[in-house]
Amino acid sequence: MSLDAHSTHTAFNSLPIELNKAIAHHLDTDNDIISFRLVCRGTNDAIDADHGSFWRYRFREKYASKEGPTNKELRRAYQRRSKMLRRGTGYDFFRGYKKREQDVIEVLRDLIVESFQGTVDFDEYGRPHCKNQDRLLEFILNSKILLNDRRPPDQRTRSEKNEKKEINPMLTAVKIMCSPLLFEHEDLKHHIFAIEQLQRAAYAVTNKAPIYEGLNYTDVNMEWIMKCLDFFRYHMMNRETMTLSDAMEDLSALQKPTAWQEPLKQGAYPLSKHWKGTYSFLDPNEQRKLRALPDDHDSDIYFSDKNIDEGKIQLDFDPDRQLKWPKVFEERLNSLREVPEADAPPKTQGRSKMKDTMKANLQFMGTGMDLEDDFQAIGWLNALPDQCGIPGWQRITFMKHFAEDLDDVDSDNLWAYEGVVLPGGRIIVGRWCSIKTNLEQRDYNGPFILWAAEPDEFDESCDSDSED
């Protein structure tokens, strides 16, 4: 039935458009808006007339919004997002190559990229928070993108088109960005299947699972980072593991992992000062047995991960002070490699490579505690290009050492760290490696995770004492 066929004497038709719009603003769901719009001409005008101002209000009510788009553009964006997010709750998102899945993934990516535009909200602890993150969390909790309830089908069922890639990189990038939103929800059942395969990925030989790929080693290995995040989420959020979950429950809300709290920005920039985190390791014999399994072997062999416990690290960024960067550190970490910029002019003859990279990279120092031992750290941040349309990724490398003088470092007591700073600078995931050269320790490595945290009372008292 057309709108013109409706009675012109209904209660809504007798109301001013401003009052009908006020009623529409109080509708909770999109289905309620659709139903209200179809009641009569008066309710239809409240939604679509007045130059579409209702849609601007509705868009800003649910999403981050900047100045510029017209009401018509906001209506189109709102309706597309509602449609994709509603349909996406029924998709599996195992590999993300289906056209309908890709449409949803693009909407999720847009919510990430456009977050913290316009007015910024604050949570109960005074931390910046964005409406887009609320929409992302709603989708996560109602869909299977991170909380799937069954294993992916056998890879042999993949179509020939997708033989070269196991998972769509954009799907993986979106899952990486959304994962931190789950860390504050302890009552969830985190279905993380095939932990044996995640363990094999976490301790894989470096040259088989590099963190960075591509011609200039600036492409993040999204699949490895996602598996590493799932590996730690398994330990951090599942009580039955009897590993890190108890420590996570004891942490205050301000010391738990959090998602980004500002607009995503490109470049190398200083990170927060206080961090918590952990790393895990296997005994060398266990690691060799794990790596000896055939690549296509679906084994249920699982070794007990060691040292899954939260620790502390403090990072210090001082652009006016730069410490010596020992040659042995650079040889192992390759922290100052040049990353060519898009459309950059060719270098002039005689230009210093080290001088150029010093300008492009950001050095930091750190201190921390590993079990009962205090350690020192020194390293670098390198800006990375957009990954899958999402800006703000950084490469981090640092050497953990126990030397007071960098001119006299003990090469047998050094641990190299390389990882990825997720956009927003709140979480770091990567790999530690021993730099010992003996055969037994060659490529002896494991995963690590760090997250920005507010200082606890002990840290605050130490800071105040040092100021006095």
Side-chain angles (χ1 to χ4, degrees):
M1 181 182 295
S2 68
L3 289 171
D4 292 332
H6 283 282
S7 170
T8 59
H9 300 290
T10 63
F12 290 112
N13 272 323
S14 63
L15 296 177
I17 187 174
E18 293 81 7
L19 188 53
N20 279 331
K21 284 176 64 176
I23 295 172
H25 290 328
H26 284 84
L27 299 177
D28 293 329
T29 69
D30 293 334
N31 285 334
D32 291 339
I33 294 175
I34 293 173
S35 299
F36 183 74
R37 179 178 177 274
L38 294 176
V39 170
C40 63
R41 172 60 63 184
T43 57
N44 176 267
D45 289 345
I47 301 298
D48 289 340
D50 195 21
H51 305 289
S53 60
F54 169 83
W55 293 107
R56 177 172 294 274
Y57 173 89
R58 190 69 177 181
F59 188 94
R60 289 182 169 179
E61 188 179 42
K62 294 192 70 172
Y63 302 108
S65 177
K66 63 180 180 180
E67 296 297 329
T70 64
N71 293 347
K72 183 178 180 180
E73 291 170 334
L74 292 178
R75 181 191 68 181
R76 188 182 301 118
Y78 182 93
Q79 293 175 345
R80 170 175 167 75
R81 288 179 178 183
S82 296
K83 177 181 177 180
M84 292 297 105
L85 296 178
R86 183 178 67 254
R87 290 183 175 181
T89 57
Y91 301 160
D92 288 319
F93 292 106
F94 286 135
R95 298 187 176 89
Y97 285 104
K98 297 176 182 177
K99 176 63 169 60
R100 61 183 187 179
E101 291 179 336
Q102 293 184 44
D103 290 340
V104 178
I105 295 168
E106 289 177 1
V107 169
L108 297 174
R109 181 198 59 189
D110 291 345
L111 291 180
I112 294 169
V113 174
E114 297 175 12
S115 58
F116 290 97
Q117 294 183 350
T119 304
V120 176
D121 298 324
F122 295 87
D123 67 12
E124 57 184 310
Y125 303 103
R127 299 174 299 188
H129 186 75
C130 179
K131 295 174 182 176
N132 285 12
Q133 292 174 322
D134 292 332
R135 306 289 82 77
L136 290 167
L137 180 59
E138 288 174 0
F139 183 80
I140 293 169
L141 298 179
N142 294 313
S143 72
K144 302 176 182 179
I145 193 166
L146 283 174
L147 301 174
N148 214 320
D149 57 358
R150 65 188 181 95
R151 291 173 179 262
D154 194 301
Q155 292 184 18
R156 289 173 294 182
T157 65
R158 285 182 297 171
S159 65
E160 195 173 309
K161 177 181 178 181
N162 298 329
E163 279 296 324
K164 293 183 179 180
K165 295 181 179 180
E166 183 177 353
I167 302 177
N168 184 342
M170 188 186 297
L171 169 61
T172 316
V174 167
K175 291 173 68 174
I176 289 171
M177 292 297 296
C178 290
S179 286
L181 294 169
L182 291 174
F183 282 120
E184 297 183 50
H185 294 266
E186 299 174 355
D187 55 340
L188 292 177
K189 180 62 177 177
H190 291 255
H191 296 286
I192 299 177
F193 295 104
I195 183 58
E196 301 86 1
Q197 296 178 16
L198 294 179
Q199 186 184 62
R200 289 171 61 185
Y203 296 102
V205 179
T206 305
N207 60 8
K208 286 189 176 181
I211 298 179
Y212 294 97
E213 305 172 308
L215 182 63
N216 297 307
Y217 299 100
T218 57
D219 298 334
V220 175
N221 183 344
M222 292 293 176
E223 190 167 339
W224 188 86
I225 295 296
M226 185 68 244
K227 289 180 177 179
C228 195
L229 260 178
D230 280 345
F231 172 85
F232 282 112
R233 187 157 61 92
Y234 171 82
H235 284 289
M236 295 164 73
M237 305 305 293
N238 288 322
R239 295 176 182 175
E240 59 267 25
T241 63
M242 303 295 289
T243 50
L244 191 55
S245 59
D246 289 342
M248 292 294 295
E249 290 182 3
D250 293 337
L251 292 178
S252 68
L254 294 174
Q255 295 188 345
K256 292 181 179 180
T258 57
W260 66 104
Q261 298 178 3
E262 61 183 2
L264 303 185
K265 56 187 177 183
Q266 199 76 347
Y269 53 88
L271 304 178
S272 299
K273 186 173 184 179
H274 296 276
W275 292 75
K276 288 185 178 292
T278 188
Y279 65 89
S280 69
F281 71 91
L282 298 177
D283 293 334
N285 287 337
E286 294 175 332
Q287 193 175 75
R288 281 196 294 271
K289 292 178 182 178
L290 190 68
R291 291 174 174 177
L293 296 173
D295 291 338
D296 58 351
H297 185 57
D298 189 14
S299 172
D300 59 358
I301 295 176
Y302 185 82
F303 297 95
S304 177
D305 298 292
K306 281 79 173 174
N307 194 62
I308 296 288
D309 198 1
E310 61 93 9
K312 300 176 184 176
I313 183 171
Q314 181 168 301
L315 305 181
D316 182 21
F317 294 88
D318 186 350
D320 297 325
R321 182 168 68 101
Q322 188 166 291
L323 296 182
K324 176 182 178 181
W325 181 240
K327 182 179 179 181
V328 64
F329 291 6
E330 178 61 21
E331 289 175 347
R332 186 62 179 84
L333 288 168
N334 195 19
S335 299
L336 299 178
R337 65 190 183 197
E338 273 191 298
V339 178
E341 299 179 4
D343 302 322
K347 292 186 297 184
T348 57
Q349 196 170 23
R351 188 175 173 185
S352 169
K353 176 180 179 181
M354 183 62 71
K355 184 176 181 181
D356 291 340
T357 54
M358 288 294 190
K359 291 180 180 179
N361 304 321
L362 183 62
Q363 190 187 70
F364 65 90
M365 283 67 72
T367 59
M369 179 176 291
D370 182 359
L371 299 178
E372 299 300 323
D373 296 325
D374 295 330
F375 67 83
Q376 304 288 323
I378 180 172
W380 296 84
L381 287 170
N382 316 119
L384 293 172
D386 290 3
Q387 306 288 318
C388 304
I390 301 175
W393 308 78
Q394 296 184 81
R395 177 180 182 243
I396 187 171
T397 50
F398 63 91
M399 191 69 74
K400 187 170 79 174
H401 63 91
F402 301 87
E404 294 296 331
D405 184 0
L406 289 177
D407 290 325
D408 185 26
V409 295
D410 181 4
S411 59
D412 287 333
N413 200 15
L414 296 175
W415 301 90
Y417 283 68
E418 180 184 35
V420 176
V421 182
L422 272 55
R426 303 291 299 176
I427 290 184
I428 302 171
V429 180
R431 170 189 286 130
W432 59 264
C433 292
S434 168
I435 71 167
K436 296 179 181 178
T437 57
N438 61 71
L439 290 176
E440 183 179 356
Q441 297 288 341
R442 183 167 295 175
D443 207 14
Y444 180 54
N445 63 36
F448 76 90
I449 183 171
L450 299 173
W451 62 88
E454 297 299 319
D456 57 27
E457 294 180 1
F458 176 78
D459 292 329
E460 288 178 329
S461 63
C462 290
D463 290 343
S464 61
D465 291 343
S466 63
E467 291 174 1
D468 294 340

